[in-house]
Each structure stands twice: as structure tokens, then as C-alpha cells.
Amino acid sequence: MISLHKATKRYNSTTVLDGVSISFGDEGVTALIGPNGAGKSTLFGMIGRLITPDAGTVSVDGMDVTKAHSRNLARILAVLRQDNHITARLTVRDLVEFGRFPHSQGRLTLDDRDHIERAIAYLELQPFRDRFLDELSGGQRQRAFIAMVLAQDTKYILLDEPLNNLDLRHMTEIMKLIRRMADGLGKRVVVVLHDINFAATYSDRIVAMRQGRIVADAPASDIMRGPVLREVYDTDVDVRHIDGRPVALYYT
Ligand SMILES: Nc1ncnc2c1ncn2[C@@H]1O[C@H](COP(=O)(O)OP(=O)(O)O)[C@@H](O)[C@H]1O
Ligand SMILES: [Mg+2]
């Protein structure tokens, strides 16, 4: 279980995370939604120990993340950040290898190689395995980063806006993959999404943030209501039902 208790982050006088208490881990797929600046990436940063809380506590499977050994944390938790500014010239295979670092410390065992190959295959990246990252399309590169996270083979996976740069087909494929990682591999995935229809279709639970606070936390079907979404995003959202499924319309 990932648990935050009254987690707070301030920059100067601005509070960007305001006493957030929440747990993740019971549901297979949780979507984290909310407008730009709501604090979603800050929340992930705190769980992944990139950001130190000013108050409150964050633990993963009972381990206080501020005190945990980074290698121990990296064996149970993987975080794909929103902006992957990798400047080194790496191939897909090099990148996916990084995912094994918490296990191998740089010396790959047969088991590590097996994880790497399976992750590459899972993301259908075999044709690109020897390509440099700057020779890929945005979507292929995004899949390579997800393969790296998958190779890390952690129980918890946090993905910050993994659908960025993806076309319609690849967005759907990544969401199906996330669903399979949860249902088939037993992973606990928390994923930041902007498209609430993807969130509603593929997640078990939706957590909505706004101005550094959790403003809604419920099964997807309960969040897919006009008044709830209007409050989260402060804009007109209409929810219709098509073939029994809620679909949010925000093209006004
Ligand atoms: N290093 C920083 N210094 C000052 N303000 C920051 C810093 N990082 C994030 N913020 C602010 O914190 C708020 C939350 O940011 P973030 O967690 O990235 O939001 P989200 O991911 O939901 O879009 C934003 O208003 C952002 O400008
Ligand atoms: Mg963000």
C-alpha cells in the first residue's frame, strides 16, 4: 500500500500540496485526474522521493520513503515522470536495461536479461531495440520508457501522463497494456490522465485533484457525472451515455 498522511508541499508562500491523505494499492488501476497545476506530479514526486514533504508522511508497504534506502524503494515502486529529458544517446535496449538497475546494480544476470527481453516484447519494440531514442517517434519513445518501467518489475507503477505524444491507436494500446499489467501481472498502477474518457474506460478508481487537494475519490462511474467534472475542471462538461457507458463531452 502507498499511503500519504497529511502530505504537504510549499514553495515559498504557495502551498501546492495541502495536507493530502490518501492510499493507493487496493485497486489495479487508479487514474489521477485534475487540471494543470493541481499537484499531481508533485504527489508522484513525493511518493518517488524526488520531492521532500514539508509536513506529513509518505510510506510504501510500510517503508517511510524519506528514510528508505533508494534501492529498496526502487524494487517495489517505479515512477515514469512526465518529462523524460534524457540527453545521453541511448538505444531502446540501453534504456530498458536501466529498469533493471535496482536489481542488478549494473551486472546483468540471466534473469535481468529475461525481464528486459520480455518488456521489449510486451511493448512491441523488437524492431526498434537497437535504435537510438532520438531516432524514434514520440509514441515509440514513450513506449520505450514504459518498457523500462515494466522491466523494473515493481509492484507499484506510477505513470505521469503516459499518453502524451501518442496517436489514438497507441493511446488505446497503452491503456489496454496498463489494464493487462494490473489484471495479468498483478501490478498496482496509478496513472495521470487528461482524457477522462480513457480514465473512465480503463480504471477502477478515479482520484481527482484540484489546487493541491483531493476533491473526489470514487469508482470511475461515480466520477463520470457532469457536476463532479465541472467542479474538478472548472469548465463545462456534459456526460452522456452511449451503449450504457458514460462519455464526457467537453468540446463546447
Ligand atoms: N520547483 C517548483 N517551484 C515552485 N513551484 C512549483 C515547483 N514545482 C511545481 N510547482 C508548482 O506547484 C503546482 C503543482 O504542480 P504540479 O504538481 O506539477 O501540477 P500538475 O502535475 O497537477 O500539473 C503548480 O502550480 C506548479 O507551478
Ligand atoms: Mg504534472
Side-chain angles (χ1 to χ4, degrees), residues 7 58 64 71 97 109 128 156 163 194 200 217 226-227 232 237 247-248:
V58 183
D64 180 337
R71 185 174 163 187
E97 256 185 51
T109 63
F128 313 111
Y156 302 105
L163 303 187
H194 280 303
D217 178 0
V232 172
V237 183
V247 176

Side-chain angles (χ1 to χ4, degrees), residues 81-125:
R81 298 177 62 195
Q82 188 175 340
D83 309 299
N84 298 300
H85 297 297
I86 290 210
T87 45
R89 211 150 188 258
L90 297 174
T91 65
V92 169
R93 153 97 208 189
D94 294 335
L95 181 73
V96 179
E97 256 185 51
F98 275 137
R100 294 308 298 169
F101 195 79
H103 304 273
S104 69
Q105 303 291 293
R107 245 179 272 151
L108 296 177
T109 63
L110 277 177
D111 183 49
D112 292 321
R113 290 179 201 285
D114 188 44
H115 274 99
I116 292 162
E117 292 315 316
R118 273 190 287 155
I120 288 175
Y122 214 77
L123 274 294
E124 295 177 4
L125 286 164

Side-chain angles (χ1 to χ4, degrees), residues 121-193:
Y122 214 77
L123 274 294
E124 295 177 4
L125 286 164
Q126 293 102 327
F128 313 111
R129 51 181 301 124
D130 297 319
R131 282 246 209 122
F132 288 102
L133 295 179
D134 59 8
E135 297 169 347
L136 299 173
S137 76
Q140 291 160 351
R141 196 157 42 236
Q142 190 67 341
R143 275 151 60 206
F145 278 99
I146 295 172
M148 172 183 71
V149 162
L150 190 63
Q152 199 174 328
D153 194 29
T154 56
K155 174 171 165 198
Y156 302 105
I157 297 178
L158 310 186
L159 304 171
D160 199 346
E161 301 194 23
L163 303 187
N164 285 356
N165 295 320
L166 299 183
D167 65 30
L168 212 56
R169 180 167 81 87
H170 286 106
M171 282 200 273
T172 307
E173 280 180 5
I174 292 297
M175 289 312 300
K176 285 183 178 159
L177 168 81
I178 288 171
R179 198 62 258 176
R180 281 207 307 276
M181 292 197 302
D183 298 338
L185 305 176
K187 308 291 184 196
R188 293 291 173 259
V189 186
V190 186
V191 53
V192 175
L193 296 172

